[in-house]
Amino acid sequence: MVLDVLRQARIAVRSLRRAPLLSGAAVACLALGIGATVAIYSAVHTVLLQPLPFPESDRLASIFRTTPQLRSGPFAPANYRDIAERAESFESIAALTGGVALLHGLEEPLRVRANRASGNLFQTLRVVPVHGRAIQPADEGEDSNPVVVIGAELWRDRFGGEADVLGRTISLDGESHEIVGILPADFEVPHGSRVFAADVWVPLRFTASQSAARRSNYLSLLGRLREGVTPEAADVQLKNVMDGIVEAFPELRGEQLRIVPLKSESVRLVRQPLMLLLGAVAFVLLIAVANVASLLLARGVSRREEFAVRAALGAGRTQLARPVLVESVILAAAGGVLGLGLAWAGVRAIRALLPQSLPQLADLQIARGVLVFALVVSAAVALVCALAPVWQARNGDPQDALRAGGRGGTGGRQHRWLRRLVVFEVALSVILLLGGGLVIRGFGELVSRDPGFDPEPLITLGVNVDPARYTGSSVAEGFLVPAVERVRAIPGVDDVGSLNLIPYQDWGNNFNIRYEGEPGTDPTQLPLVERRVISPGAFTAIGHVLRVGRLLNERDLPGDEMVAVANAALAARDFPGEDAVGKRFHTSDSTFATIVGVVENIRNVGPEREPRPELYFSHRQVSEGSTFIQLLVRVSGDPGAFARPITDALREIDATAAVSSVATMPEVMARSVARPRFYVVLLTVFAGVAMALAAAGLYGVMDYAVAQRKRELGIRAALGGAPPRIVAMVLSQGLRLVGLGLAIGLLASVVLTQYLASFLYGVERLDPLTWILVPLALGGVALLAVAVPARRASSIDPVIAMRAE
């Protein structure tokens, strides 16, 4: 049995070596199709199919606060504690929140990602540090020793990877912390659309006022379900708990919660794009398979006489099919091996292109399950590619084949499947190219949206200062004011200002606004407003256009009545047809702030969404209580040349400050669209591969058709057929197939493009420009693919063609 298989394999290899061009083309097509499919399936496997790296991760669930306007919100400390105490369906519920801190104790001050977590977080996740211990519930007490657990990357890069770092003291925002543990490499906590990764983790502690807060929402909650409890059952139980909390505290009226598995919610935003990419590579693989099947079918037609002789000598259908099947297996195996190499290169390329906004793919690799998938795909490809020639071999009439001798065919059943395969390839290519073209058009629309300001001369940066040097509001007065003046004095700096949120970074700080005279019985029914805290110079630095009223200025002082500037979106939503200037809104039950001006909209939350209603407050009247300050600097000249002078100027004001995240505004804007750009790049590559495969398939089939009709074409030439007429005849036959494929593909695209709505960013799915350019482009490529065989047909020598007879 084994010897027979080896003998068949040797025969198949010799047979394939006699057709090196066909064999090479088949292997290349399969490698492209399998390589692209395995690379994207690796991403799908990593993100959607692999469990989270926590023991019994299926029992972990995210808990979100909901309101009529909010689907996935955080919780206030008091509500968190009530929920955690009454959650009978959970073993434990943990809380965490992100942030940054200034780290002292190294060679120079360093800004680090500092997350705060409840003492039971690591117990809930069942994560064990590689050295030392994790944060514990006892660490949350106000009288307990401040401790910190550090990440593996910080430990390796800043502490030399030495275990004796345990017990060492470092300063975080001016407070000493003892290092008690080192976390495993790549430790991170997914939660909804966020991934909590940090350099340091510190215990979550609350002051008395924070512990009592019911409307200060900033805590993300996750929990471990009790064994046997489903997320749906836990959702019902905790909803009853939340109803009781709302009943006890009417100011929470309208709030509720929802529970979802931690895994499913963490991949919600990337599931649809990944499935789109998987669908795209499935089309590429189908085109590749159709391409190889057509090549093998064409080769099978040319071997009709061989099959006929073998059938006449008594070979059964199984014996006839076996050589073709073995050849297909060898081609698929070679294509699979080469495809795995391309997949490995593709995975590396994906990781290189990966934006920070897609941390779910940071650990992308070809896992063992993906290798099994590649084996299954290769086997399926071998079977499918063998079906057409095998079917032809078992249904052909040996007498017909022997009667035809070496003349080749001019039509009939043996060519029908070839024509169908070409039409199939073209139709699939149209669908993929149209989808890719629409997504590319949508991305072009996205990045071309007017931000509402001139980003080119702007530089952004963050500064962390030691709170021990500044108390209360003196961060603004003691550091920010002199820092702004010092930076403004740099030659070439036109203006500088501070703001709590840099434009084009999609993170929110909002509140429900209640205008004077409106009831506040149900805060969740009040409209949401984005809250921005800025220094007056930020208006001119950004380039805000004042529509009416005035901007904030240095005369808006603490203790005075609070004032704010609204954007045009707020004025249009809340005061249509009215003047928003002079309108007052509640800052508490008995105090108000007044709108003193309205500015034009800018896209603070990025290009994917329309500008939201916003209010700007003066940093002097609103204390953020933060020691992290962000600056926006407008310069004349090359923005990149100002990074060092600005950093030096800030350190002249405070040598202990850590300057970070220095970037030009165009760089910030590019990062804001990094995720859709990543998808567009991959989709563009797949569309290009599909077009190339379709063109190659069309060329191969038409070239084969010309070779098979060599005698007929020679006779036509001998009887006076002019070369242009022969060229036109071959072109018309090829272009008819292309036209039919285009028509089928366009009709199918009308249905399939409706699933692309979320990727089009305002471009209509029946966008006329795309629907005209794609068929023209594919038609042009197809014309070139057909023109070469057609040209060859016109140059056939009648004498040589007739000699075979």
Side-chain angles (χ1 to χ4, degrees):
M1 176 68 178
V2 175
L3 292 177
D4 184 57
V5 171
L6 291 176
R7 185 177 63 83
Q8 291 288 343
R10 284 196 299 270
I11 294 173
V13 169
R14 285 199 300 268
S15 177
L16 292 172
R17 287 176 62 183
R18 288 195 293 269
L21 188 60
L22 179 144
S23 302
V27 170
C29 290
L30 289 178
L32 284 172
I34 292 174
T37 304
V38 170
I40 296 303
Y41 181 76
S42 296
V44 172
H45 183 270
T46 298
V47 176
L48 302 183
L49 303 180
Q50 254 184 346
L52 293 173
F54 308 116
E56 297 182 279
S57 62
D58 58 318
R59 290 170 55 193
L60 294 173
S62 298
I63 307 170
F64 297 102
R65 180 177 60 92
T66 65
T67 72
Q69 301 163 323
L70 189 66
R71 183 176 183 271
S72 301
F75 289 84
N79 298 331
Y80 150 60
R81 287 188 164 170
D82 285 348
I83 291 169
E85 289 173 1
R86 305 176 194 178
E88 299 173 357
S89 51
F90 283 85
E91 286 184 2
S92 61
I93 293 179
L96 66 164
T97 183
V100 295
L102 180 63
L103 170 62
H104 284 138
L106 303 175
E107 294 179 359
E108 60 180 17
L110 179 68
R111 175 182 181 260
V112 294
R113 296 169 299 169
N115 288 351
R116 293 185 293 152
S118 59
N120 64 345
L121 173 68
F122 296 96
Q123 175 188 348
T124 300
L125 296 175
R126 296 184 181 171
V127 171
V128 179
V130 293
H131 294 288
R133 68 171 179 87
I135 296 171
Q136 299 172 353
D139 296 323
E140 294 184 48
E142 291 186 11
D143 298 330
S144 59
N145 181 41
V147 297
V148 61
V149 176
I150 65 175
E153 184 178 351
L154 180 68
W155 174 54
R156 183 184 65 247
D157 296 344
R158 299 290 178 169
F159 295 95
E162 299 294 336
D164 61 5
V165 72
L166 296 178
R168 181 171 170 178
T169 299
I170 58 174
S171 172
L172 293 173
D173 282 343
E175 182 180 12
S176 295
H177 289 71
E178 179 188 353
I179 300 175
V180 296
I182 300 162
L183 291 172
D186 302 321
F187 171 74
E188 56 189 24
V189 182
H191 189 271
S193 61
R194 296 186 63 182
V195 173
F196 287 91
D199 303 302
V200 298
W201 292 78
V202 297
L204 190 60
R205 293 178 174 179
F206 304 112
T207 64
S209 61
Q210 289 172 337
S211 294
R214 295 279 173 185
R215 296 277 297 163
S216 179
N217 300 295
Y218 59 90
L219 297 177
S220 297
L221 305 190
L222 60 89
R224 180 173 289 275
L225 295 163
R226 294 190 185 278
E227 192 168 354
V229 177
T230 65
E232 293 76 17
D235 187 75
V236 172
Q237 192 262 320
L238 272 197
K239 275 185 165 62
N240 292 331
V241 170
M242 193 65 189
D243 285 339
I245 295 173
V246 172
E247 185 177 354
F249 301 95
E251 67 268 25
L252 301 179
R253 187 179 292 111
E255 293 194 7
Q256 192 40 269
L257 55 73
R258 68 183 182 96
I259 297 173
V260 291
L262 188 65
K263 171 71 174 182
S264 65
E265 189 66 16
S266 67
V267 300
R268 182 175 57 85
L269 293 180
V270 298
R271 182 182 289 110
Q272 187 179 9
L274 284 180
M275 296 311 294
L276 171 67
L277 292 176
L278 187 63
V281 295
F283 274 50
V284 171
L285 182 62
L286 285 173
I287 294 170
V289 171
N291 220 337
V292 175
S294 65
L295 290 172
L296 293 180
L297 182 60
R299 186 164 184 263
V301 173
S302 66
R303 297 171 66 186
R304 282 184 309 134
E305 186 178 357
E306 172 195 338
F307 288 134
V309 170
R310 294 181 64 191
L313 293 176
R317 290 182 175 179
T318 302
Q319 292 172 308
L320 288 176
R322 188 183 301 161
V324 179
L325 184 59
V326 172
E327 289 180 14
S328 298
V329 169
I330 291 174
L331 290 176
V337 171
L338 184 57
L340 280 176
L342 292 177
W344 177 81
V347 164
R348 290 176 62 88
I350 289 173
R351 286 207 301 260
L353 293 170
L354 194 66
Q356 291 183 350
S357 55
L358 278 174
Q360 295 93 337
L361 287 172
D363 298 325
L364 178 62
Q365 57 185 342
I366 301 178
R368 185 179 305 170
V370 178
L371 293 177
V372 173
F373 170 79
L375 180 63
V376 171
V377 168
S378 298
V381 164
L383 183 62
V384 171
C385 289
L387 282 179
V390 166
W391 182 266
Q392 171 195 308
R394 69 191 291 259
N395 286 281
D397 187 341
Q399 295 185 15
D400 289 343
L402 289 171
R403 214 176 285 126
R407 303 174 190 175
T410 59
R413 189 192 320 164
Q414 62 266 35
H415 298 295
R416 203 171 298 138
W417 275 102
L418 279 172
R419 292 194 292 267
R420 291 170 181 170
L421 286 171
V422 170
V423 171
F424 179 68
E425 286 185 62
V426 173
L428 289 179
S429 300
V430 171
I431 297 169
L432 186 51
L433 286 169
L434 263 175
L438 288 171
V439 172
I440 293 169
R441 278 270 292 150
F443 182 74
E445 170 68 20
L446 180 69
V447 297
S448 65
R449 289 175 177 173
D450 182 10
F453 61 94
D454 181 11
E456 293 299 328
L458 293 176
I459 302 173
T460 71
L461 64 146
V463 188
N464 282 85
V465 297
D466 187 346
R469 295 171 57 92
Y470 309 93
T471 58
S473 61
S474 66
V475 172
E477 299 298 326
F479 175 78
L480 181 55
V481 172
V484 166
E485 293 304 319
R486 180 64 188 86
V487 172
R488 188 179 283 122
I490 298 173
V493 171
D494 296 332
D495 218 325
V496 58
S498 72
L499 63 170
N500 64 332
L501 298 175
I502 295 291
Y504 270 68
Q505 291 186 351
D506 186 21
W507 50 357
N509 185 343
N510 51 49
F511 66 99
N512 295 98
I513 189 168
R514 179 163 69 101
Y515 293 102
E516 186 176 18
E518 292 183 346
T521 52
D522 188 353
T524 61
Q525 296 294 334
L526 297 172
L528 274 176
V529 175
E530 296 295 318
R531 178 177 179 270
R532 306 262 167 182
V533 180
I534 70 174
S535 68
F539 284 111
T540 52
I542 296 174
H544 271 106
V545 177
L546 181 65
R547 176 182 284 189
V548 65
R550 70 170 178 89
L551 300 175
L552 303 177
N553 57 51
E554 298 296 343
R555 294 187 296 276
D556 299 318
L557 300 174
D560 295 345
E561 182 181 352
M562 189 175 293
V563 295
V565 169
N567 70 343
L570 182 140
R573 185 194 68 182
D574 297 344
F575 306 104
E578 300 181 51
D579 186 0
V581 174
K583 303 295 184 181
R584 300 207 306 169
F585 57 91
H586 286 266
T587 57
S588 71
D589 287 339
S590 58
T591 59
F592 298 88
T594 303
I595 297 175
V596 296
V598 178
V599 293
E600 294 290 351
N601 294 325
I602 65 172
R603 291 186 181 274
N604 271 317
V605 292
E608 295 189 43
R609 300 177 180 88
E610 290 303 310
R612 298 173 180 172
E614 297 171 344
L615 283 172
Y616 296 87
F617 299 88
S618 171
H619 71 290
R620 288 192 165 184
Q621 290 192 320
V622 177
S623 175
E624 285 289 276
S626 172
T627 54
F628 177 55
I629 298 166
Q630 298 190 96
L631 297 179
L632 195 66
V633 185
R634 179 172 290 273
V635 300
S636 298
D638 178 18
F642 287 85
R644 174 54 59 184
I646 292 173
T647 300
D648 292 342
L650 293 171
R651 286 193 172 141
E652 287 178 12
I653 303 299
D654 186 344
T656 67
V659 180
S660 60
S661 305
V662 181
T664 64
M665 182 54 69
E667 291 171 341
V668 173
M669 295 171 66
R671 286 198 296 264
S672 74
V673 294
R675 181 184 294 183
R677 179 187 290 111
F678 173 74
Y679 299 137
V680 165
V681 168
L682 291 182
L683 199 57
T684 302
V685 170
F686 298 148
V689 170
M691 179 181 281
L693 287 174
L698 183 60
Y699 169 82
V701 169
M702 294 308 300
D703 190 61
Y704 154 78
V706 168
Q708 289 295 298
R709 300 177 63 186
K710 189 173 182 180
R711 177 177 176 276
E712 174 203 339
L713 296 173
I715 293 174
R716 287 179 181 274
L719 294 177
R725 292 188 60 185
I726 295 176
V727 169
M729 180 184 68
V730 176
L731 280 176
S732 65
Q733 292 171 347
L735 293 181
R736 276 200 298 271
L737 299 179
V738 174
L740 181 57
L742 285 172
I744 295 173
L746 290 172
L747 288 174
S749 297
V750 172
V751 177
L752 294 177
T753 52
Q754 65 182 315
Y755 300 106
L756 297 177
S758 60
F759 301 94
L760 301 186
Y761 303 108
V763 173
E764 295 295 328
R765 68 182 185 90
L766 299 179
D767 174 59
L769 183 63
T770 306
W771 283 73
I772 291 173
L773 289 181
V774 165
L776 286 177
L778 187 58
V781 171
L783 180 62
L784 291 176
V786 176
V788 176
R791 175 62 181 164
R792 186 178 295 118
S794 68
S795 60
I796 290 176
D797 189 332
V799 177
I800 296 176
M802 298 285 290
R803 193 173 295 160
E805 186 66 15

